[in-house]
């Protein structure tokens, strides 16, 4: 074998993702609010980009039909081309495969053009909760109560109180870390437990309820024994509780009623960060001509290329590097505008097919939701499954029945008992929820639920009923029976 250096010529094939293709793929998976951040960054980097003024007319409606094959490749076409070359551009396809089911088709009329408005959209952030956090409230009370070393200990304890209001550190650990006596830390904690909200600083549920009972002047030996045996109360063993507390039925019912008036998580009334409001990306409405599907204009700014500014810069004296930079900025601006336009078209195409497949849901409710997979939608509109997966990620639509994530409409199928079309798992969950809500004094077991669901046409197993019930946060028949007994008490 020769060890001398030499030159070899080889041929190979590989998929190269250009920055433009990467940007197109990224834009597909972003929501309208996230797109605003991307556009803001591009406006800072590219002087040739600008947003349309608020008074400009709305753009022409975006057609739903697939673009002609002789058009330049857009975002979704580029994605398909990249995937056809052999590289998987999405990682969640396996998780998105569900049971197939035939679906009805109906004529739809769609428009992605947002209606222009003369004023700005309402600021939803103004409706958010601006109250102080639990730590702020406790630190303010500690500053007015303690001084010097005790204030330092109180701050250390408050740092260990979680959002629910419970102390999540042992007194011994706090004392060892601060280098003070445990008795002093316990004394400061006892004072912190008198702060508002009532019950804060407790180390467990029993202590939290005991603090509130003391402040209500209802803490007596009977209540103390009841709090020492909360596990019996949770199991509904009222007979044993009455013997331990040495009370009759009336007194036991009065104590349980008293405990229900206390707050088991006193810190939650202050909370932490306010929840971010869900702003839909699409709106679906029933019209005389069919279904109208539009992008939300409040969260989708229009981006334009400032051709006048480009002409002004191009006419000035420039060196070779300046001309290259200007050409690059123009190409980048044109690509962004084109990618955003193609993104709108793709989103509307996917949403239109979802509405077509799930028209019964929009007309009659969740009981008529049909099984649907990404493959069904992708094949119907001639896109790849991964493209549909990206389009439906973090996107919400609003309709007469509420706000739903686009992923909500992709559900697995349950076979029909009469051999007909399969039904959606969400429809089965809705039926289970309705049966349990109407069960009254006769608590339905999972076996009874299976029988009643079979009578309604759902071919479902008992373990599936239990899985759906637990997913909805509904207890078993034993747990519901105990809860009913406590309510009667």
């Amino acid at each position: 074998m020769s060890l001398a250096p030499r030159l070899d010529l080889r041929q190979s094939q590989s998929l190269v993702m250009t920055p433009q293709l990467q940007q197109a793929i990224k834009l597909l998976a972003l929501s309208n609010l996230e797109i605003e951040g991307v556009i803001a960054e591009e406006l800072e980097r590219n002087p040739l980009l600008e947003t349309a003024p608020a008074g400009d007319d709305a753009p022409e409606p975006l057609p739903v039909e697939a673009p002609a094959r002789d058009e330049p490749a857009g975002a979704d076409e580029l994605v398909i081309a990249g995937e056809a070359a052999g590289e998987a551009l999405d990682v969640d396809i396996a998780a998105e495969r569900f049971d197939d089911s035939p679906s009805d088709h109906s004529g739809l009329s769609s428009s992605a053009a947002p209606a222009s408005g003369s004023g700005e959209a309402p600021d939803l952030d103004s409706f958010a909760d601006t109250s102080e956090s639990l730590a702020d409230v406790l630190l303010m009370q500690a500053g007015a109560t303690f001084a010097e070393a005790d204030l330092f200990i109180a701050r250390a304890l408050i740092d260990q109180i979680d959002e629910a209001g419970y102390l999540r550190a042992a007194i011994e650990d706090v004392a060892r870390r601060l280098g003070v006596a445990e008795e002093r830390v316990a004394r400061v904690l006892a004072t912190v437990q008198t702060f508002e909200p009532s019950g804060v600083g407790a180390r467990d549920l029993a202590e939290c309820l005991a603090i509130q009972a003391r402040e209500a002047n209802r803490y007596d030996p009977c209540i103390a024994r009841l709090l020492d045996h909360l596990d019996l109360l949770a199991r509904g063993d009222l007979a044993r509780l009455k013997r331990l507390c040495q009370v009759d039925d009336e007194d036991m019912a009065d104590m349980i009623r008293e405990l229900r008036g206390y707050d088991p998580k006193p810190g939650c009334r202050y909370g932490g960060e306010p929840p971010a409001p869900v702003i839909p990306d699409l709106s679906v409405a029933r019209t005389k001509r069919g279904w109208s599907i539009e992008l939300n204009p409040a969260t989708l700014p229009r981006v334009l290329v400032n051709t006048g500014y480009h002409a002004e810069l191009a006419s000035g004296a420039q060196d070779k590097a300046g001309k290259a930079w200007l050409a690059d900025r123009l190409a980048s601006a044109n690509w962004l505008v084109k990618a955003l336009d193609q993104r709108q078209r793709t989103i509307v195409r996917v949403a239109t097919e979802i509405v077509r497949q799930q028209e019964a849901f929009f007309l009659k409710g969740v009981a008529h939701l049909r099984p649907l997979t990404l493959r069904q939608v992708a094949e119907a509109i001639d896109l790849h499954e991964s493209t549909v997966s990206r389009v439906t990620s973090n996107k919400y639509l609003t309709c007469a029945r509420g706000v739903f994530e686009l992923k909500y409409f992709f559900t697995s199928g349950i076979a029909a008992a009469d051999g007909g079309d399969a039904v959606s798992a969400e429809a089965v969950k809705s039926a289970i929820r309705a049966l349990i809500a109407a069960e009254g004094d006769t608590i339905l077991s999972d076996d009874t639920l299976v029988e009643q669901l079979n009578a309604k046409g759902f071919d479902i197993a008992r373990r599936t009923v239990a899985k759906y019930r637990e997913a909805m946060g509904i207890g078993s028949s034993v747990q519901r029976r105990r809860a009913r007994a406590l309510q009667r008490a």
Side-chain angles (χ1 to χ4, degrees), residues 303-337:
V303 181
L304 303 175
V305 179
N306 193 335
T307 55
Y309 187 52
H310 173 263
E312 181 179 350
L313 292 178
S315 62
Q318 295 180 0
D319 54 10
K320 184 176 181 180
K323 291 181 179 180
W325 175 85
L326 185 60
D328 177 71
R329 294 298 87 191
L330 180 61
S332 177
N334 286 330
W335 175 265
L336 178 63
V337 173

Side-chain angles (χ1 to χ4, degrees), residues 21 24 28 73-80 335 338-339 342-343 346:
L21 176 58
L28 280 176
D76 53 351
E77 284 81 4
L78 289 174
V79 172
I80 298 173
W335 175 265
K338 177 183 175 181
Q342 189 63 47
R343 173 185 177 273
T346 307

Side-chain angles (χ1 to χ4, degrees), residues 76-241:
D76 53 351
E77 284 81 4
L78 289 174
V79 172
I80 298 173
E83 288 155 347
E87 180 177 354
L89 303 180
D90 207 344
V91 297
D92 60 347
I93 291 301
E96 299 296 341
R97 298 185 184 275
F98 304 102
D99 297 335
D100 292 343
S101 171
S103 302
D104 296 334
H105 294 266
S106 59
L108 304 175
S109 63
S110 306
S111 173
S116 61
S118 57
E120 294 183 356
D123 184 10
L124 297 180
D125 291 338
S126 62
F127 297 98
D129 183 14
T130 57
S131 60
E132 296 178 298
S133 67
L134 176 63
D136 294 336
V137 172
L138 296 178
L139 288 174
M140 182 177 61
Q141 298 177 75
T145 305
F146 300 106
E148 298 178 353
D150 286 347
L151 178 58
F152 184 76
I153 297 174
R155 288 175 175 171
L157 290 171
I158 292 173
D159 287 342
Q160 300 299 321
I161 294 178
D162 62 12
E163 293 183 354
Y166 287 87
L167 180 66
R168 296 308 182 187
I171 291 179
E172 299 81 6
D173 296 337
V174 176
R176 183 169 56 255
R177 188 173 67 252
L178 299 181
V180 297
E182 294 181 14
E183 294 77 9
R184 188 170 187 177
V185 176
R187 186 173 63 253
V188 172
L189 176 60
T191 305
V192 171
Q193 290 177 344
T194 63
F195 291 172
E196 289 294 331
S198 179
V200 73
R203 284 157 285 190
D204 52 39
L205 177 60
E207 186 177 19
C208 177
L209 298 178
I211 294 171
Q212 299 178 63
R214 290 191 184 95
E215 293 192 2
N217 199 24
R218 290 295 305 271
Y219 191 78
D220 53 31
C222 295
I223 285 286
R225 284 191 288 269
L226 177 60
L227 293 176
D228 289 338
H229 299 86
L230 287 178
D231 56 331
L232 298 179
L233 182 61
R235 294 202 301 266
D237 194 350
L238 300 183
R240 187 176 177 186
L241 276 176

Side-chain angles (χ1 to χ4, degrees), residues 13-18 20-22 24-25 28 73-90 383-384 386-387 390:
Q13 291 182 344
S14 63
L15 174 63
V16 178
M17 295 182 62
T18 64
Q20 290 82 4
L21 176 58
Q22 295 178 13
I25 294 174
L28 280 176
D76 53 351
E77 284 81 4
L78 289 174
V79 172
I80 298 173
E83 288 155 347
E87 180 177 354
L89 303 180
D90 207 344
L383 290 178
H384 196 275
S386 63
T387 303
R390 294 187 187 94

Side-chain angles (χ1 to χ4, degrees), residues 225-308:
R225 284 191 288 269
L226 177 60
L227 293 176
D228 289 338
H229 299 86
L230 287 178
D231 56 331
L232 298 179
L233 182 61
R235 294 202 301 266
D237 194 350
L238 300 183
R240 187 176 177 186
L241 276 176
K242 287 186 291 184
R243 291 195 302 269
L244 291 172
C245 299
Q246 299 179 357
V247 296
D248 55 16
D249 292 341
E250 183 178 355
D251 290 337
M252 177 58 64
D254 183 62
M255 289 192 297
I256 294 176
R257 197 160 39 244
E258 180 72 22
L259 292 184
R260 282 180 174 170
Y262 299 152
D263 190 353
K265 296 182 178 181
C268 289
R269 70 185 66 175
Y270 295 95
E273 293 294 330
V278 175
I279 301 179
D281 303 271
L282 295 150
S283 63
V284 178
R286 181 73 170 174
T287 64
K288 295 180 179 179
R289 299 174 53 189
W291 293 99
S292 173
I293 303 173
E294 298 180 352
L295 292 172
N296 186 358
T299 60
L300 195 63
R302 290 184 59 203
V303 181
L304 303 175
V305 179
N306 193 335
T307 55

